[in-house]
Amino acid sequence: MLERLGVSHLTGTAIGAAVVLFLFATGHKEDLVIGVITGLAYSLIALGLVLIYKSSGIFNFAQAEFGSVAVFVLYLLRQNDMPYVPAALLALIAAVVLGLVVERAVVRPLFDAPRVTLLVATAGVALLSIGVTFWLNDAQGRTVDPAIHGNQALRLFDIIISWQRVLIVVVVLVIGATLALFFRRTTLGLAVLASSQEPTATELVGISVKRLSTLVWGLAALLGGLAGVLVGPFEPFGPGGMTLKLLIPGFTAAVIGGMGSLQGAVLGGMIVGVGQSLGASGGLLPESVPGGGAVITFVLLAAILAIRPQGLLGRTT
Amino acid sequence: MRRPRVLVTLLVLMMIAAACGQKAGVGGATSNDAFGAGGASNVQAGGAANGDTGGTGATGVADTATTAPGATGATGTGAAGSATSAGTSHAATATPAGDRTGITDTTITIGVHAPISGAAPFPQSSFQKGSPVYWDFLQTKGGVFGRMVKVIIMDDEYNPASAKRVCQQMVEQNHVFLLIGGGGADQITACAQYANSVGVPYLSAGVNENGLRNLRGYFAFSMSYPAQSPLLVQWATKKLGGGKFAIAVEDTPSFADAHASIVSAAKAGGLQIVYDKSIPKTVQQTDALSIANGLRASGAQIVYILASPQSFVNIAAAAAGQAYNPHWIGPGITSGLNLVAQVGCPAIGAANFLSPFPELDVIDKLDPDFVPAYQKYAGGTPDDISLALWGLNKGLAQVFLAAGKDMTRQSFVQTLESGKRFTTNVYPAGQFSPTNHFGSTQAHMLQADCSSRTYKTVAQFASGF
């Protein structure tokens, strides 16, 4: 409907700014800060989801499990006294390897199958991963150190933000920008987009769609792994921890932002985070309403999809 | 035309009523009467489990029955309606008329539900390895009148509906003699109410009192959360120096009594309540940050928290992430487990939690049998979940022995209500009566030691500070 009314991204930005001003005016600036810094963690998952969706039209239910595997590997390596940086790098490599294995063993054999078959297949991968980590890990909770120690990085509107949160903000913004440039400015990025829209034509001009698929799954797994390594230290994790914590908010963020839009994934993450924060603090709903954060998030989702089905920054095809 | 419709309607209603009445273990036996006297008929058999056929006389529990497997302290409620005088030690020789579901000549089957997942990722192996240890140990001393106790453990997923489902499964399919709740107030309440409705005894550590107080078959073998509030306030004022006090209680009706009692106790104790809010049952990162920010902004120095261990750890971590480190205190069963210190440190600091069982640092003095028995029957190093199970089973064995060889569900309940004191030296002594099923007045105080990532026992069997 907004599209028909000619509402542009600029107008969307204006609406966003108005919402921010409204939150400030009504004394919810703390909710805004908390929402943005937690929402950017969801954005990491949303970026991976969008990446795979952009390239192959698949909803990847195993996206957060790349994070679970990464944080579990990081934990194991840190338990064996490996220094943080190599341990984190190996954890990310483990996530990428998992992504490549999934692509080769599950996605590629089903490449020509209906998308819903692939959706179910990725859900199966997630369940398998949870089962394996449960088998290896028991149900016991584990903790890992943050990449940067120190609780007080900066204070924003009376909210103290830790260094690890600052790191997430930086990583998400850098990755979001890099991916946007990759898809807009590089031949490889354009080839990925082409393969998603016209796979046959892409093959005809000599580009291997399957190799592009491998690349995209590797990148998505890297993003999932980053989510695990960066978000994992905030609280104890167990088997399937990242899927439980991040997958639904990540999906919501991706859909709100527009499944094909990387900037939308970042924006959607922040919107989900702010919605949850307002619900948690009793800012919009009475505290007696259980699950206020989820209520607000899904009301927002429904409202945005009702007026703009392709998401805030998505494009109609 | 109208008459046949009426007839059909009546027929349907009759069929529904008949079905309700005959379904074994479901709905037929309701209320506390199922635990009446020995004459109560077997719920599993689908009969009228209302105890009307039995008398309500005092049970004949002999004190000597708790000390040795061979003691003859059976209850005197063997025959239907035979109310015997208290203290008689003769065992009922006739076939007991009460409900003996779950008991054979060689085994007693009991069911345990616990939040193995959901509240915190507890290691399932701890439950599996720990639960049979005491019974294996007791078997070398003759068992429970020669019977081995078989324990069935099911995960209630920290969800009341799941808890009721697994309890129903254990009652109807596994035919357990009794049920035990391992933790989680909502789950314990849901399962205890179900158990009471089908005439199955139910035991748990003390949680809420609302919803449980009037259940004849329910027994709390440690202090309830409301009863722990004065102790916690005493600890806060005398040991922590008092000051600004925050209250964060999980958003469930089950905790209404605990919340009211801590508010009342804090005011009476002169604490300044600066934060008093409910928190979600499942605390996500955004919730944790928001709650932690509210607590920090309130300036609270001591935070009373009544929530799942997972929620507690998440909030403590979020608070530490905001450079806010209050002293956390609370009642509970599971927040004082070493697992919580392992994953919660350093954020939880020197948190204090009351607990129905002590920590491993003092168990060798309190009960020297535990560690050797665990090493012998389970192998490896015991954890505190195993200790909790050991103490629970030890107390349960005493009740079994006191109830006698021909124990029924009714005589089990009556034995507990007899006023006899059950002492394990792990859990505080329990002493119940027909009007008081919350039979403990003591608790252990635990304190997190983040240098070792464990809890230490800083006060044993405390009834005040």
Side-chain angles (χ1 to χ4, degrees):
Chain A
M1 190 165 69
L2 277 177
E3 200 75 16
R4 285 199 298 273
L5 292 172
V7 176
S8 64
H9 285 181
L10 193 61
T11 312
T13 308
I15 292 171
V19 170
V20 170
L21 285 173
F22 170 77
L23 291 172
F24 268 80
T26 52
H28 294 306
K29 57 182 184 296
E30 293 172 354
D31 295 328
L32 183 68
V33 175
I34 288 173
V36 168
I37 60 176
T38 51
L40 283 173
Y42 304 147
S43 298
L44 271 174
I45 293 295
L47 280 169
L49 290 167
V50 167
L51 198 57
I52 287 180
Y53 184 79
K54 255 173 109 76
S55 67
S56 53
I58 299 169
F59 288 93
N60 177 22
F61 274 86
Q63 183 62 30
E65 272 312 290
F66 298 141
S68 294
V69 168
V71 74
F72 187 52
V73 170
L74 178 62
Y75 164 80
L76 290 175
L77 296 174
R78 293 290 290 155
Q79 286 296 107
N80 288 292
D81 298 325
M82 183 179 279
Y84 194 92
V85 172
L89 287 174
L90 285 174
L92 294 176
I93 289 170
V96 171
V97 168
L98 177 66
L100 297 178
V101 168
V102 169
E103 195 277 334
R104 190 70 189 82
V106 179
V107 176
R108 203 176 288 189
L110 296 169
F111 213 76
D112 297 323
R115 299 297 88 173
V116 70
T117 306
L118 274 160
L119 182 148
V120 174
T122 61
V125 169
L127 291 173
L128 178 67
S129 171
I130 292 169
V132 169
T133 45
F134 188 87
W135 173 53
L136 293 173
N137 188 36
D138 204 334
Q140 193 168 341
R142 314 282 183 188
T143 52
V144 291
D145 303 332
I148 309 177
H149 286 278
N151 290 329
Q152 194 158 353
L154 57 99
R155 202 179 185 109
L156 191 61
F157 303 122
D158 204 34
I159 301 290
I160 295 168
I161 302 171
S162 66
W163 282 111
Q164 186 77 3
R165 297 267 180 208
V166 172
L167 182 63
I168 290 179
V169 172
V170 171
V171 166
V172 170
L173 295 179
V174 168
I175 285 178
T178 307
L179 286 174
L181 285 174
F182 171 75
F183 280 110
R184 286 185 185 177
R185 307 281 183 195
T186 68
T187 311
L188 194 56
L190 289 171
V192 171
L193 288 179
S195 72
S196 69
Q197 289 166 14
E198 290 292 343
T200 309
T202 309
E203 288 276 6
L204 284 173
V205 297
I207 298 170
S208 169
V209 173
K210 287 178 180 172
R211 283 193 183 174
L212 289 176
S213 169
T214 304
L215 171 75
V216 168
W217 275 85
L219 276 175
L222 178 65
L223 288 172
L226 270 172
V229 168
L230 292 173
V231 179
F234 289 129
E235 54 188 53
F237 65 90
M242 292 299 136
T243 294
L244 293 172
K245 289 173 198 166
L246 299 180
L247 186 63
I248 289 179
F251 258 124
T252 311
V255 172
I256 285 176
M259 277 307 293
S261 169
L262 294 164
Q263 301 96 314
V266 177
L267 178 64
M270 289 192 282
I271 289 172
V272 170
V274 172
Q276 287 187 343
S277 180
L278 285 167
S281 69
L284 289 185
L285 292 172
E287 282 181 43
S288 56
V289 176
V295 171
I296 291 176
T297 302
F298 285 103
V299 166
L300 274 172
L301 176 67
I304 288 169
L305 290 184
I307 57 176
R308 198 170 162 82
Q310 70 272 35
L312 287 174
L313 302 184
R315 289 181 184 164
T316 47
T317 52
Chain B
M1 281 299 287
R2 193 169 173 175
R3 216 168 140 190
R5 276 189 196 166
V6 173
L7 283 172
V8 169
T9 308
L10 279 172
L11 189 62
V12 169
L13 288 172
M14 284 168 65
M15 287 171 71
I16 291 169
C20 289
Q22 290 177 1
K23 185 77 173 174
V26 181
T30 57
S31 84
N32 301 318
D33 292 334
F35 301 102
S41 53
N42 194 327
V43 176
Q44 284 296 332
N50 54 17
D52 288 346
T53 54
T56 55
T59 57
V61 179
D63 287 348
T64 53
T66 58
T67 55
T72 55
T75 62
T77 57
S82 62
T84 61
S85 60
T88 56
S89 60
H90 59 84
T93 52
T95 304
D99 186 346
R100 291 172 58 78
T101 302
I103 301 178
T104 69
D105 289 342
T106 54
T107 60
I108 300 173
T109 306
I110 63 174
V112 178
H113 69 97
I116 296 171
S117 61
F122 292 121
Q124 199 169 12
S125 56
S126 294
F127 289 92
Q128 286 167 343
K129 285 178 75 176
S131 64
V133 170
Y134 182 78
W135 303 115
D136 288 335
F137 169 78
L138 188 66
Q139 198 65 11
T140 62
K141 301 177 185 306
V144 180
F145 299 106
R147 296 184 181 102
M148 181 64 184
V149 175
K150 181 181 158 192
V151 185
I152 294 168
I153 299 177
M154 289 196 175
D155 181 12
D156 62 32
E157 301 164 357
Y158 198 58
N159 179 311
S162 298
K164 190 178 173 187
R165 177 175 48 77
V166 297
C167 286
Q168 195 165 358
Q169 189 178 335
M170 287 190 282
V171 168
E172 294 181 1
Q173 294 175 23
N174 302 110
H175 304 300
V176 296
F177 175 73
L178 58 77
L179 288 165
I180 293 170
D186 286 345
Q187 292 67 249
I188 285 172
T189 303
C191 196
Q193 289 177 347
Y194 160 74
N196 198 65
S197 74
V198 293
V200 177
Y202 186 97
L203 287 80
S204 77
V207 282
N208 45 294
E209 295 183 13
N210 287 350
L212 297 171
R213 181 166 283 286
N214 296 320
L215 302 181
R216 176 78 191 280
Y218 172 79
F219 294 87
F221 50 79
S222 65
M223 289 178 83
S224 67
Y225 293 157
Q228 291 176 42
S229 295
L231 272 71
L232 288 165
V233 168
Q234 286 173 26
W235 186 267
T237 52
K238 293 180 182 174
K239 305 286 185 181
L240 305 179
K244 292 182 177 177
F245 190 69
I247 298 170
V249 176
E250 188 176 290
D251 187 11
T252 165
S254 297
F255 289 159
D257 52 2
H259 176 257
S261 75
I262 191 65
V263 170
S264 169
K267 285 178 179 170
L271 291 169
Q272 183 190 354
I273 300 174
V274 293
Y275 180 103
D276 180 8
K277 290 187 177 180
S278 60
I279 57 178
K281 185 164 184 175
T282 305
V283 171
Q284 306 286 356
Q285 272 195 36
T286 319
D287 302 312
L289 275 172
S290 185
I291 294 162
N293 184 57
L295 288 167
R296 185 184 56 79
S298 76
Q301 297 150 307
I302 303 167
V303 178
Y304 168 96
I305 186 154
L306 178 50
S308 72
Q310 182 90 55
S311 297
F312 163 53
V313 170
N314 288 354
I315 293 168
Q322 294 192 37
Y324 171 61
N325 297 289
H327 197 108
W328 305 93
I329 65 169
I333 308 167
T334 48
S335 285
L337 289 172
N338 281 337
L339 185 64
V340 175
Q342 282 167 26
V343 297
C345 279
I348 65 171
N352 286 115
F353 285 94
L354 288 169
S355 170
F357 48 88
E359 261 306 332
L360 296 165
D361 58 330
V362 296
I363 195 59
D364 284 342
K365 287 180 185 168
L366 292 177
D367 189 344
D369 289 332
F370 170 64
V371 174
Y374 186 92
Q375 288 169 341
K376 182 175 180 183
Y377 297 109
T381 307
D383 60 9
D384 45 8
I385 293 175
S386 305
L387 172 58
L389 293 165
W390 167 275
L392 169 66
N393 291 335
K394 191 176 180 183
L396 191 56
Q398 289 187 11
V399 186
F400 283 162
L401 293 168
K405 189 177 180 183
D406 294 324
M407 175 175 68
T408 63
R409 282 173 172 165
Q410 290 74 27
S411 68
F412 176 84
V413 167
Q414 289 156 6
T415 300
L416 277 165
E417 288 181 338
S418 68
K420 179 164 184 57
R421 194 174 169 86
F422 298 97
T423 307
T424 63
N425 229 26
V426 179
Y427 284 75
Q431 189 172 26
F432 307 92
S433 73
T435 55
N436 180 20
H437 285 200
F438 295 82
S440 182
T441 55
Q442 296 175 324
H444 302 277
M445 178 58 87
L446 309 179
Q447 183 162 311
D449 172 19
C450 279
S451 62
S452 62
R453 289 191 174 245
T454 60
Y455 276 94
K456 306 290 186 198
T457 314
V458 291
Q460 300 165 25
F461 302 109
S463 54
F465 299 106

